[in-house]
Amino acid sequence: MSSRKSKSNNIIHAECLSQVQRILRERFCHQTPHTNLFGVQVQYKHLIELLKRTAIHGESNSVLIIGPRGSGKTMLINHALKELMDIEVVSENILQVHLNGLLQINDKIALKEITRQLSLENVVGDKVFGSFAENLSFLLEALKKGDRTSSCPVIFILDEFDLFAHHKNQTLLYNLFDISQSAQTPVAVIGLTCRLCLSEDRSVREVLQRHFNISKNLRSLHTLLMLALTRVTVSHPFLTAADLMEANQLCSMDSKANIVHGLSVLEICLIIAMKHLNDIYEEEPFNFQMVYNEFQKFVQRKAHSVYNFEKPVVMKAFEHLQQLELIKPLERTSANSQREYQLMKLLLDNTQIMNALQKYPNCPTDVRQWATSSLSWL
Amino acid sequence: MAPYHTRQKIRQTYSWIGRPLLDRKLHHRTYTEICVKIEGCSTPVHIQVGQFVLIEGDDDENPYVAKLIELFEDDFELHSKKRARVQWFVRFSEVPAHKQRLLGRKPDAQEIFWYDYPACDSNISAETIIGPVQVVALAPDEVIPVDLKNEKIFFVKLSWNEKKFRPLSPELFAELEKLQESSPKCQKSVEAMTKNIESPAWTTTEQVVKRIESSHSASKSRQTPTHPVVPTARKRLELGSFPRTPHTKISQPTSQASLDSSGRTKRKVNFSETTSQTKRSHLYRSEMSSPALKIPEKTGKVQPFCAKDVKKASPKCCMILRTRVPALKTTQINEERTLTPVKGGQRPSVPSVVLKPENIKKREAKEPETQNQATATSHRIRRRSSLLTLNRIRQQLRVLENNKSDQEEEEFLPTAEVSDSSSEEEEASTPALSRRNTRCISRNLRPFLKPSIQTPSKTPKKMAKSRTPRCATPQIRSRNLTTPEPASMLEEARLRLHVSAVPESLPCREQEFQDIYSFVESKLFDRTGGCMYISGVPGTGKTATVHEVIRCLQQAAQANDVPPFQYIEVNGMKLTEPHQVYVQILQKLTGQKATANHAAKLLAKRFCASASPQETTVLLVDELDLLWTHKQDVMYNLFDWPTHKEAQLVVLTIANTMDLPERIMMNRVSSRLGLTRMSFQPYTHSQLQQILGSRLKHLKAFEDDAIQLVARKVAALSGDARRCLDICRRATEICEFSHQKPDSPGLVTVAHLMEAIDEMFSSSYITAIKNSSVLEQGFLRAILAEFHRSGLEEATLQQIYSQHVALCMMEGLPYPTMSETMAVCSRLGSCRLLLVEPSRNDLLLRVRLNVSQDDVLYALKEE
């Protein structure tokens, strides 16, 4: 009786939990604009004021929002635009143009995109633009025709702004800022970038109005929390510090060390030999022959722990390491060069090797000792 | 303006009123009235032929305006059988941007232009009609009456034929003036009196039809005094007026007075005279072509108001002369095209005669303007009054739904129809660029032409030609939200401080202004050419000064103080490619379009070869350095043209660098540039202070100390006036932000400005480092330590990692894994705090600092 009761209880409990999990997952995964803003309220207020002034007063403005990746730049602007569009009078009277530096890779494409988003095409009909120059003068004429009081303000949002600065002559940026600084159609140019300085800008008069800097990356926090969330089960209904620690470990796991865990003993031995070579020759590059010799020295001394493999077998193991990109050739492999003598570099740090060895399952003691000191066989 | 009801939003049903009149040749049934019933609105709107209507277009806020000429049902039309023929009007916004300046003044919001352009398709679906509207014709120098600033009324002052704005026609004004006293006010009172929705609107509009119509016919009749036949255009009068409401009585006498010369007898003659076809067709030809040919010469003297326009347009005189002959040719083409439908149906009596240019000239020479206006009016009064009585009778009959009226109707309609087609033909005569066609296409998917047209192959070709983006009028949608006036002092200040605000004067550049002015002026007087190179760092007022000089010179030219000149401006940054400069210059000079190579040839011919006396061209080339090419041919040409005697070209070039000629130009280019150079020095702090003072005249928004502070700060750094204005603008925002109480906005103080300056000039790197995470800061420390150890400014990731691990161990922190360190490194790299190699190099990737080590140390020490 009581057991049945607790069972049904458990089921309800499980449903609740899965629901909670679902909601939380949604919150972490999707960038919902209606979540609250933390830490950027001041900047948000500035931005919204600025946009309102463009939308209502027809004042041209330009803003550059700077912040490292995952610091909420896009969320900030989306949030602001949403609020702006909620104002009824404004939403009818505003045009938005969204551009992304990764998509509009040159000014020509960007211009076409602007024309499309401003739906100026209907004026042109189905006519394909003759040339870039025609397109530019067409668009400039369109924007020039307006004035502060009568034409619709246009908000340009340039994501990955720094990439636009790489376009030839920065024609697009110059013209956008030129419009914003002259009595033409009111525009607000909002650039989003993670670059901190556009010092390369030669002729574009940059109006760096605000710097938004939020330090930590929200996205990584979200992944961390997601991982922790998956650990919530019926028997374990609440997140604990231990869960978070574990999730954190998962996140911050060293990927190379994990690869090392899956290597054979022979390959481990080769890596240890390389490490010793690095220590002896102070980071100078090595070749297969050197590694093989080092390995031979070890095997001859401690023959009982490691089987003395043939040279071609060792070579095979060496090539496997190269495929795993744990070692890297200095020059490109040419067909006629002897593979034994090609110069290589190890892509593992000493600490990494030692840590990996600690956790390596069934590692022969001799090998472990050899790893700590190159002279241990003496 | 309230959005109009269009079909997309509100369903409207259209139905004919009255019995149709069958046109046997075209299988049309013509009507005189259409009823528009709007869903949800009880009273249907009646629209009659001759009324002014709004026609649905692609812009809901600004529908097209047109006059209804004919209503008919066409069974061949697939999409909508109810058709209408209209005479278009254009809004100023529909005029191509580059032609708008031809107007020479700011158009009133309600001003529209008679679209004197025949190539535009006038056959539309009747179901695109939104509703009636009121249009009032005014003399060009008249101001639009303030009390009539109603959105539903439009004013016509000029006509637009894609080339020029012209007065409606000189003869119109005398009559209009007479009409002027009564009509608007009367209409106003009428409108006030009656609460009826539609009747006041259409009564006025109808009067306007009459006015316009009569003027047209008057001008026509003048041209053909010897001919026994009087043009038929005025027949429409009767048609438009018969369902007259009693309200219009007030304005009746004036409209009668303005009526045209032909009496009823003459009309009858005309009505029976349809047999003399050849003569009449000749007559029509002459009428058609004459306005286009004559008016350019005429307007200047007839219209003192137009003098300005003409002068402005005069630089294009040579172009006009050149295009005149082709224009004539197009007349012929148009002629053929537009005539065909007529031949097909409505007026079977007129054979399509191909127009010979000689023929026109002869006609024109033969026909002096001798018509007497006085007799005309008397005739008209008589006819008018008789008409009026007739109409009243008709109306009563209609009210009683007496079928007898139909007989009368039939009696009137044929004449009306003839007049319609003739006036249409007249409209169809003036050749011009067929821009309106493009617009018709974009209006909606309305079929253009009746299927009865015999030459279908011609029209599509024409369409295709006109569908270039140049002909289209690009425009950003206009807003229907009015911009609020600045509410507070700070807002006002912000408005004035915006870089785009044009100041009345340019302080601190008087000397430069004077130099440039005298340079250009002297060249204008001497009728020679020359170059000038103007340099200066950004934001020192180069372009603004030159614009001011040109503005002053243009004013002086208008006052005949200096010889007239043509001004062209190109900007290197606004070109996609240096050679495009030729295309732009040619287009602005002559309106021609050509490829870069061809344009260069044409320009070279124009500037180097032509010996004909022409006026000086002033060419401003902004951002000259962008015109650099490997061969430097663009710059070479720009500086070579002025050296020719015939060119009369003054080239003003602007660039940032002072030594551009020495640095990038070849000797032969820089020698042609000459030595006339001017450099704009960066503004000093007192100058910046003066500039700010002049912008904020009579506006106490800033503390004096604050202005001085920002002026000194900016002058010490760059002397860029733009930067200075931006900082002040930002400071007003901060000030507004900090004063939460709206009633006491307060002055912008030094503290606010300091904040703004800090925002502008503070290094973003330092803020970024300060705000970065512990791990990132630790990594930066490790970089510094590694640099210190190795004595180099570069290290591999591996080295830095070992340093990082060591540092962490020293502080007893858990050290990060390699993967984490890589992530940190690439994050800092994407911010450009570090310069890193591509990450495929893995441990071996080399890292450099993009900031000075001291900055990093400073930022890290701070906390």
Side-chain angles (χ1 to χ4, degrees):
Chain A
M1 184 74 187
S2 70
S3 73
R4 197 188 298 161
K5 202 174 182 180
S6 71
K7 212 175 191 177
S8 67
N9 242 352
N10 254 350
I11 290 164
I12 296 165
H13 209 80
E15 272 174 9
C16 279
L17 269 176
S18 67
Q19 206 140 24
V20 167
Q21 262 182 329
R22 193 178 54 79
I23 290 166
L24 285 174
R25 254 188 223 129
E26 260 171 20
R27 284 197 190 164
F28 292 149
C29 285
H30 303 298
Q31 284 191 323
T32 40
H34 45 75
T35 50
N36 288 326
L37 293 162
F38 294 106
V40 285
Q41 280 92 350
V42 180
Q43 286 91 340
Y44 178 70
K45 215 167 168 185
H46 279 167
L47 186 65
I48 195 82
E49 281 297 313
L50 199 97
L51 286 174
K52 273 184 190 161
R53 275 210 307 279
T54 303
I56 298 166
H57 295 259
E59 181 184 303
S60 291
N61 276 306
S62 46
V63 191
L64 198 56
I65 303 173
I66 305 175
R69 296 201 188 283
S71 57
K73 303 180 294 292
T74 314
M75 185 199 57
L76 186 75
I77 182 73
N78 284 345
H79 220 281
L81 283 176
K82 191 171 174 293
E83 188 183 320
L84 199 69
M85 291 322 243
D86 284 344
I87 308 169
E88 206 167 298
V89 276
V90 174
S91 63
E92 294 164 5
N93 280 307
I94 212 157
L95 294 168
Q96 289 183 29
V97 176
H98 293 261
L99 299 176
N100 190 322
L102 292 171
L103 298 178
Q104 281 79 41
I105 49 164
N106 61 40
D107 282 349
K108 191 173 176 175
I109 301 172
L111 280 179
K112 281 207 171 133
E113 185 64 16
I114 294 172
T115 321
R116 192 185 67 73
Q117 293 194 14
L118 288 178
S119 61
L120 285 170
E121 284 161 320
N122 64 345
V123 180
V124 198
D126 49 25
K127 160 89 182 166
V128 182
F129 274 120
S131 64
F132 177 31
E134 227 170 30
N135 205 340
L136 180 71
S137 58
F138 172 79
L139 195 71
L140 287 180
E141 197 188 340
L143 290 170
K144 210 180 274 175
K145 262 190 86 181
D147 63 351
R148 194 177 72 85
T149 47
S150 71
S151 46
C152 240
V154 187
I155 297 184
F156 286 94
I157 295 143
L158 307 180
D159 213 342
E160 307 289 343
F161 183 82
D162 46 313
L163 295 177
F164 285 99
H166 287 227
H167 294 176
K168 194 190 159 224
N169 284 351
Q170 304 181 340
T171 311
L172 180 77
L173 291 186
Y174 177 92
N175 286 313
L176 281 183
F177 287 121
D178 196 56
I179 290 161
S180 82
Q181 300 201 337
S182 53
Q184 297 174 355
T185 305
V187 292
V189 183
I190 299 169
L192 303 174
T193 182
C194 59
R195 282 289 177 83
L196 291 172
C197 189
L198 296 160
S199 54
E200 307 88 295
D201 282 16
R202 187 161 45 86
S203 50
V204 172
R205 317 127 179 185
E206 193 46 61
V207 193
L208 291 175
Q209 284 208 340
R210 296 150 195 33
H211 308 135
F212 298 147
N213 273 303
I214 310 135
S215 60
K216 286 87 190 176
N217 191 339
L218 272 174
R219 260 176 229 157
S220 60
L221 178 66
H222 281 166
T223 29
L224 178 70
L225 288 173
M226 273 296 283
L227 282 171
L229 196 65
T230 52
R231 295 183 58 81
V232 176
T233 54
V234 181
S235 55
H236 185 78
F238 298 105
L239 281 178
T240 59
D243 289 333
L244 284 175
M245 282 299 290
E246 209 159 317
N248 190 24
Q249 261 177 12
L250 268 175
C251 277
S252 59
M253 196 111 68
D254 193 338
S255 48
K256 283 235 187 88
N258 287 349
I259 295 176
V260 174
H261 289 168
L263 295 178
S264 67
V265 176
L266 172 62
E267 284 158 348
I268 289 277
C269 287
L270 288 183
I271 286 178
I272 292 168
M274 289 171 203
K275 170 183 172 277
H276 290 323
L277 283 172
N278 267 348
D279 288 345
I280 295 161
Y281 298 109
E282 286 179 331
E283 308 286 321
E284 287 299 308
F286 49 83
N287 58 29
F288 171 71
Q289 199 55 48
M290 292 163 80
V291 177
Y292 185 69
N293 288 342
E294 194 73 20
F295 176 63
Q296 282 293 314
K297 275 194 243 171
F298 168 67
V299 170
Q300 276 158 18
R301 284 282 158 186
K302 309 274 181 183
H304 54 275
S305 55
V306 180
Y307 178 75
N308 193 359
F309 294 101
E310 314 254 319
K311 197 173 175 183
V313 178
V314 182
M315 184 71 197
K316 208 75 199 163
F318 190 79
E319 278 172 0
H320 186 226
L321 289 179
Q322 191 180 339
Q323 275 166 6
L324 288 171
E325 290 203 328
L326 291 175
I327 53 175
K328 195 181 172 209
L330 275 188
E331 301 112 25
R332 282 199 303 137
T333 12
S334 52
N336 51 7
S337 71
Q338 278 186 299
R339 273 183 296 174
E340 290 91 336
Y341 301 106
Q342 197 175 18
L343 288 177
M344 294 286 189
K345 274 228 151 195
L346 182 62
L347 293 183
L348 281 169
D349 195 55
N350 278 355
T351 47
Q352 270 176 305
I353 297 167
M354 295 315 287
N355 284 339
L357 269 183
Q358 298 282 322
K359 290 175 192 161
Y360 188 77
N362 308 323
C363 184
T365 334
D366 286 341
V367 174
R368 198 166 281 168
Q369 278 178 353
W370 180 44
T372 45
S373 162
S374 57
L375 303 171
S376 63
W377 50 270
L378 284 176
Chain B
M1 193 179 276
Y4 295 94
H5 303 303
T6 56
R7 279 182 300 167
Q8 283 82 27
K9 288 174 192 158
I10 291 164
R11 199 179 165 76
Q12 302 185 349
T13 44
Y14 294 80
S15 55
W16 297 121
I17 287 180
R19 243 184 57 180
L21 187 82
L22 192 70
D23 190 322
R24 285 191 181 76
K25 268 286 161 70
L26 273 177
H27 307 288
H28 283 172
R29 285 183 296 282
T30 43
Y31 295 84
T32 56
E33 194 169 348
I34 191 168
C35 167
V36 183
K37 194 156 186 172
I38 301 160
E39 205 167 78
C41 181
S42 55
T43 47
V45 181
H46 293 263
I47 301 167
Q48 296 180 338
V49 168
Q51 248 184 287
F52 291 84
V53 286
L54 291 174
I55 290 174
E56 203 174 293
D58 21 55
D59 188 353
D60 283 353
E61 280 88 44
N62 295 315
Y64 298 111
V65 184
K67 193 182 77 179
L68 204 55
I69 292 174
E70 191 185 12
L71 285 166
F72 58 93
E73 183 149 334
D74 189 348
D75 292 329
F76 291 99
E77 208 61 67
L78 291 173
H79 302 289
S80 88
K81 292 189 172 166
K82 296 188 176 62
R83 311 294 302 170
R85 201 182 300 285
V86 292
Q87 159 64 43
W88 293 108
F89 287 89
V90 282
R91 289 164 194 266
F92 187 66
S93 54
E94 293 167 34
V95 175
H98 58 283
K99 301 262 175 95
Q100 282 185 351
R101 67 188 172 85
L102 291 176
L103 185 60
R105 63 180 164 90
K106 246 183 108 68
D108 194 90
Q110 290 151 265
E111 188 168 353
I112 53 175
F113 306 94
W114 175 273
Y115 195 56
D116 185 14
Y117 181 55
C120 178
D121 181 39
S122 62
N123 183 351
I124 59 159
S125 162
E127 294 182 1
T128 53
I129 294 172
I130 298 169
V133 73
Q134 201 172 343
V135 178
V136 176
L138 294 175
D141 45 354
E142 236 173 321
V143 285
I144 284 169
V146 189
D147 52 334
L148 276 175
K149 290 249 174 196
N150 181 341
E151 283 163 353
K152 291 271 186 183
I153 304 177
F154 293 98
F155 298 92
V156 191
K157 284 180 176 178
L158 302 171
S159 76
W160 166 246
N161 68 348
E162 287 293 331
K163 276 184 182 162
K164 276 187 156 189
F165 289 101
R166 296 190 210 153
L168 282 173
S169 82
E171 290 84 359
L172 186 61
F173 298 113
E175 290 174 303
L176 276 178
E177 268 165 32
K178 277 182 245 158
L179 279 168
Q180 208 54 55
E181 300 107 47
S182 56
S183 63
K185 284 153 215 160
C186 284
Q187 289 315 316
K188 187 92 191 190
S189 59
V190 167
E191 218 167 345
M193 260 161 57
T194 60
K195 291 279 173 256
N196 194 330
I197 314 162
E198 35 131 4
S199 69
W202 79 252
T203 43
T204 344
T205 53
E206 200 179 306
Q207 279 184 354
V208 180
V209 187
K210 273 169 230 151
R211 267 179 257 155
I212 294 167
E213 200 55 47
S214 56
S215 73
H216 269 256
S217 43
S219 64
K220 262 192 243 170
S221 57
R222 267 188 202 188
Q223 287 160 9
T224 60
T226 49
H227 207 280
V229 185
V230 172
T232 51
R234 73 188 66 89
K235 297 298 154 21
R236 172 134 21 108
L237 295 170
E238 304 144 55
L239 180 74
S241 56
F242 66 80
R244 187 165 289 278
T245 55
H247 310 301
T248 45
K249 251 185 263 174
I250 313 158
S251 58
Q252 208 56 262
T254 40
S255 53
Q256 278 173 14
S258 73
L259 275 172
D260 206 330
S261 59
S262 64
R264 298 196 83 187
T265 45
K266 275 189 179 177
R267 196 181 73 234
K268 272 175 195 157
V269 169
N270 177 24
F271 190 50
S272 59
E273 251 258 345
T274 38
T275 41
S276 66
Q277 297 145 359
T278 39
K279 269 186 192 171
R280 274 189 50 192
S281 61
H282 267 291
L283 163 68
Y284 286 126
R285 294 295 150 341
S286 65
E287 279 164 21
M288 275 172 244
S289 46
S290 54
L293 289 169
K294 249 192 251 171
I295 287 178
E297 292 92 341
K298 226 198 276 178
T299 38
K301 53 179 188 270
V302 177
Q303 269 305 336
F305 161 80
C306 277
K308 207 165 85 177
D309 287 4
V310 172
K311 193 163 287 171
K312 258 195 164 176
S314 57
K316 295 207 166 167
C317 215
C318 55
M319 185 195 75
I320 291 163
L321 278 168
R322 214 182 297 156
T323 50
R324 193 160 290 163
V325 179
L328 261 174
K329 277 180 204 152
T330 28
T331 324
Q332 279 180 348
I333 297 157
N334 278 343
E335 199 62 16
E336 277 181 328
R337 193 166 69 83
T338 49
L339 268 177
T340 6
V342 179
K343 189 172 79 183
Q346 280 180 327
R347 217 177 38 182
S349 52
V350 179
S352 65
V353 178
V354 178
L355 176 70
K356 301 279 192 301
E358 307 88 57
N359 198 353
I360 310 168
K361 279 172 197 158
K362 213 172 67 190
R363 277 262 156 213
E364 236 191 327
K366 240 191 338 194
E367 289 164 358
E369 299 186 16
T370 47
Q371 186 70 302
N372 192 339
Q373 189 85 31
T375 52
T377 31
S378 67
H379 271 300
R380 204 194 284 164
I381 291 166
R382 241 189 298 141
R383 192 189 71 160
R384 196 78 195 117
S385 53
S386 59
L387 243 172
L388 188 67
T389 43
L390 230 160
N391 286 335
R392 281 200 206 125
I393 296 164
R394 263 197 61 83
Q395 213 197 354
Q396 280 179 347
L397 289 176
R398 243 169 59 111
V399 171
L400 294 168
E401 301 209 352
N402 194 332
N403 280 340
K404 275 178 198 165
S405 60
D406 288 338
Q407 211 183 348
E408 275 176 24
E409 199 173 19
E410 263 169 350
E411 197 185 308
F412 282 110
L413 272 172
T415 54
E417 207 185 341
V418 170
S419 76
D420 275 353
S421 53
S422 78
S423 70
E424 204 175 288
E425 228 176 295
E426 179 199 49
E427 285 149 19
S429 64
T430 334
L433 293 170
S434 53
R435 184 189 69 85
R436 190 78 179 200
N437 267 338
T438 335
R439 243 195 41 187
C440 283
I441 295 160
S442 61
R443 271 183 185 193
N444 48 31
L445 290 169
R446 192 191 305 154
F448 296 125
L449 295 162
K450 286 174 287 181
S452 59
I453 276 181
Q454 269 92 5
T455 56
S457 62
K458 225 165 214 173
T459 344
K461 222 187 284 167
K462 188 104 183 166
M463 300 293 145
K465 211 180 91 192
S466 66
R467 288 180 95 166
T468 55
R470 180 174 58 119
C471 295
T473 46
Q475 194 184 14
I476 300 297
R477 184 156 61 90
S478 65
R479 53 194 262 159
N480 47 27
L481 179 74
T482 50
T483 39
E485 289 297 307
S488 68
M489 191 142 61
L490 284 174
E491 275 179 26
E492 169 75 32
R494 198 155 50 219
L495 208 63
R496 289 202 206 169
L497 285 171
H498 198 280
V499 188
S500 70
V502 183
E504 311 94 71
S505 63
L506 287 170
C508 315
R509 288 290 178 230
E510 289 86 5
Q511 186 54 48
E512 285 85 355
F513 174 85
Q514 201 49 52
D515 289 353
I516 300 173
Y517 188 91
S518 46
F519 174 79
V520 180
E521 194 186 29
S522 66
K523 298 290 178 212
L524 287 178
F525 277 122
D526 300 349
R527 297 199 155 274
T528 54
C531 295
M532 186 175 208
Y533 178 74
I534 301 163
S535 66
V537 291
T540 47
K542 302 178 295 294
T543 314
T545 308
V546 175
H547 280 163
E548 187 70 12
V549 166
I550 297 295
R551 209 165 55 85
C552 288
L553 280 170
Q554 276 170 342
Q555 276 171 2
Q558 266 168 25
N560 274 331
D561 290 341
V562 295
F565 64 96
Q566 188 174 8
Y567 169 64
I568 296 170
E569 185 182 343
V570 286
N571 187 327
M573 273 311 264
K574 295 187 180 173
L575 303 170
T576 51
E577 198 258 338
H579 290 99
Q580 286 290 327
V581 75
Y582 298 130
V583 179
Q584 293 238 331
I585 294 174
L586 186 73
Q587 197 183 347
K588 285 173 181 164
L589 205 60
T590 64
Q592 278 175 281
K593 246 185 134 183
T595 60
N597 281 335
H598 189 220
K601 272 182 209 144
L602 286 176
L603 286 173
K605 212 165 92 185
R606 183 191 162 95
F607 289 127
C608 307
S610 75
S612 64
Q614 51 178 347
E615 55 182 16
T616 311
T617 310
V618 177
L619 175 66
L620 169 63
V621 184
D622 210 343
E623 314 283 355
L624 176 75
D625 42 348
L626 267 295
L627 296 182
W628 186 87
T629 51
H630 188 70
K631 267 178 69 188
Q632 306 196 355
D633 48 343
V634 178
M635 283 183 182
Y636 179 86
N637 276 334
L638 282 179
F639 301 138
D640 190 43
W641 291 333
T643 57
H644 291 86
K645 178 77 189 73
E646 310 83 27
Q648 296 187 24
L649 177 69
V650 181
V651 179
L652 303 171
T653 55
I654 299 180
N656 288 145
T657 35
M658 207 159 85
D659 56 346
L660 187 80
E662 287 76 27
R663 227 156 32 90
I664 68 166
M665 286 185 206
M666 290 188 271
N667 281 339
R668 62 189 83 127
V669 178
S670 59
S671 95
R672 277 177 174 77
L673 172 60
L675 294 168
T676 328
R677 298 214 198 147
M678 169 175 294
S679 79
F680 280 61
Q681 298 306 320
Y683 288 113
T684 63
H685 67 88
S686 57
Q687 285 175 325
L688 284 174
Q689 212 171 328
Q690 206 180 328
I691 289 168
L692 287 175
S694 81
R695 287 231 179 192
L696 295 169
K697 212 183 277 172
H698 311 305
L699 198 70
K700 190 69 188 152
F702 279 79
E703 280 181 1
D704 289 341
D705 284 353
I707 290 181
Q708 190 168 357
L709 173 85
V710 66
R712 279 181 186 274
K713 279 271 185 189
V714 173
L717 211 80
S718 62
D720 185 340
R722 278 196 201 102
R723 186 54 67 89
C724 189
L725 293 172
D726 278 339
I727 291 174
C728 288
R729 213 152 58 86
R730 177 75 190 120
T732 60
E733 284 173 23
I734 293 171
C735 176
E736 204 170 44
F737 211 59
S738 58
H739 288 272
Q740 293 303 330
K741 291 155 286 179
D743 49 321
S744 61
L747 292 179
V748 178
T749 60
V750 174
H752 296 137
L753 267 170
M754 277 309 282
E755 204 181 325
I757 290 168
D758 281 347
E759 253 180 37
M760 289 265 183
F761 293 128
S762 74
S763 162
S764 51
Y765 285 127
I766 289 176
T767 15
I769 295 173
K770 273 185 194 167
N771 285 318
S772 58
S773 64
V774 181
L775 197 57
E776 284 162 352
Q777 289 183 348
F779 188 75
L780 287 171
R781 278 208 187 85
I783 293 175
L784 288 185
E786 180 58 33
F787 284 177
H788 190 71
R789 186 190 70 82
S790 67
L792 298 171
E793 292 278 291
E794 190 182 270
T796 65
L797 184 65
Q798 192 173 12
Q799 290 167 332
I800 298 166
Y801 178 68
S802 48
Q803 280 287 346
H804 195 175
V805 170
L807 278 174
C808 285
M809 280 171 157
M810 234 156 54
E811 289 179 32
L813 294 168
Y815 53 88
T817 58
M818 195 69 207
S819 296
E820 276 180 311
T821 317
M822 277 292 266
V824 165
C825 181
S826 66
R827 205 153 48 206
L828 291 175
S830 76
C831 292
R832 287 295 185 278
L833 270 172
L834 303 178
L835 298 174
V836 290
E837 278 186 328
S839 56
R840 72 183 145 77
N841 284 350
D842 211 62
L843 279 189
L844 306 176
L845 67 83
R846 280 170 299 190
V847 177
R848 273 187 199 190
L849 274 179
N850 198 21
V851 210
S852 78
Q853 295 191 23
D854 294 338
D855 280 357
V856 179
L857 270 180
Y858 168 78
L860 292 175
K861 222 171 258 174
E862 200 65 3
E863 5 157 23

